[in-house]
Amino acid sequence: RRHAVVMPIDYGKWSRLADDEDEAGRPKAWADMTTEERREASERAAAEERGVQDRRQAHEASLQARARAAETADDSWAHDVDVDSYEDFTVKRTWRVVAPRGAALFKSGDLRGAEQQWLGALLILQKTGLDWPTARELYVQLKCNLAQLCIKCGRFAEAHRLASAALEQNPGCEKALYRRAWVRLRCAEWSEARRDLEALLADHPNNTEALKLLAEANSALRQRASAIRR
């Protein structure tokens, strides 16, 4: 079992870490510090050393993870890729490698990692454009994924924007309609939520979650109407 190596502390630099200065404005030397100043300086030095160790260990862990990924890399996704086409390579790799990697991170609870993967995939699509086969479908899926992530993080305004962007490319997208309706309902936009849910159910009448959400929206609208009549 490997143990972290603790680097020796350079006591000579503590005078540079002291906040106190002498009357001439120069940092106090170690010998001139009070007991409290020495304690504070030693704590700052120790914290700096721990920070160096933590960064080194994180860097080594990252390198090891990359090495393992390279050793176990599966290139089977590229079996039908046109090697002479940047667009074909890019879109298929994003579909088969980048997007699923983000999904795995999301499932494991690494929301930041998932967001980075999906945002990176969208940047790649900007270079290829949405006219390449399946690129538009991939764009919609990524926007829906990010909308769900934002909902989970409580970033409702951003989730609304992402779902709307997906609907601009595919107005009948089931996931985008549901997620935007969910956000609208939580933001007391009941009429707008109902409109999205009715559009969803027109094509997917057996979506039980959407039916529950519609009932919630209708109940809220009835309560508001009753309150107005009073």
Side-chain angles (χ1 to χ4, degrees):
R1 181 179 178 182
R2 296 182 60 187
H3 298 277
V5 178
V6 179
M7 301 297 291
I9 296 176
D10 177 10
Y11 293 92
K13 69 182 178 182
W14 284 359
S15 62
R16 300 191 300 273
L17 295 172
D19 292 332
D20 298 86
E21 298 178 342
D22 60 18
E23 294 179 356
R26 295 169 301 188
K28 286 184 179 180
W30 176 256
D32 297 329
M33 292 182 185
T34 65
T35 301
E36 180 63 18
E37 288 169 347
R38 289 182 179 184
R39 184 188 64 78
E40 292 176 355
S42 65
E43 288 178 354
R44 286 195 294 272
E48 180 181 301
E49 293 295 342
R50 288 194 298 271
V52 170
Q53 289 293 323
D54 289 343
R55 289 191 293 273
R56 181 183 293 115
Q57 291 174 4
H59 179 65
E60 291 177 352
S62 176
L63 292 177
Q64 292 172 2
R66 292 183 183 182
R68 288 193 298 269
E71 291 174 357
T72 59
D74 181 5
D75 293 333
S76 61
W77 66 268
H79 69 279
D80 60 345
V81 169
D82 180 355
V83 294
D84 295 322
S85 170
Y86 168 79
E87 292 81 4
D88 193 56
F89 174 89
T90 300
V91 171
K92 287 179 178 176
R93 183 179 184 280
T94 305
W95 260 120
R96 300 170 182 176
V97 178
V98 182
R101 187 183 298 153
L105 289 168
F106 182 85
K107 187 176 181 180
S108 71
D110 185 356
L111 302 185
R112 182 178 180 182
E115 185 171 21
Q116 289 175 342
Q117 290 293 320
W118 291 333
L119 288 174
L122 286 172
L123 288 174
I124 292 171
L125 284 182
Q126 287 182 3
K127 297 180 180 179
T128 62
L130 299 184
D131 293 331
W132 194 260
T134 75
R136 195 176 307 276
E137 181 184 352
L138 175 57
Y139 173 90
V140 170
Q141 177 177 303
L142 290 168
K143 289 288 185 178
C144 287
N145 290 351
L146 286 165
Q148 179 64 18
L149 185 148
C150 288
I151 287 173
K152 194 174 183 67
C153 295
R155 291 150 49 187
F156 295 156
E158 193 172 353
H160 184 287
R161 178 180 60 80
L162 288 161
S164 295
L167 291 167
E168 288 176 4
Q169 299 299 327
N170 180 5
C173 178
E174 183 178 11
K175 289 182 178 179
L177 284 168
Y178 180 86
R179 286 165 191 172
R180 189 170 71 176
W182 191 96
V183 170
R184 284 177 159 173
L185 199 61
R186 297 301 172 267
C187 295
E189 299 175 359
W190 301 304
S191 296
E192 294 82 354
R194 181 170 67 179
R195 185 164 57 247
D196 280 344
L197 292 165
E198 288 175 344
L200 186 163
L201 290 165
D203 293 327
H204 307 279
N206 297 322
N207 187 318
T208 56
E209 294 302 315
L211 288 168
K212 292 177 183 177
L213 216 58
L214 180 60
E216 188 177 341
N218 285 331
S219 176
L221 286 168
R222 285 194 297 269
Q223 291 178 19
R224 185 176 66 178
S226 177
I228 292 174
R229 286 194 297 268
R230 293 175 188 175

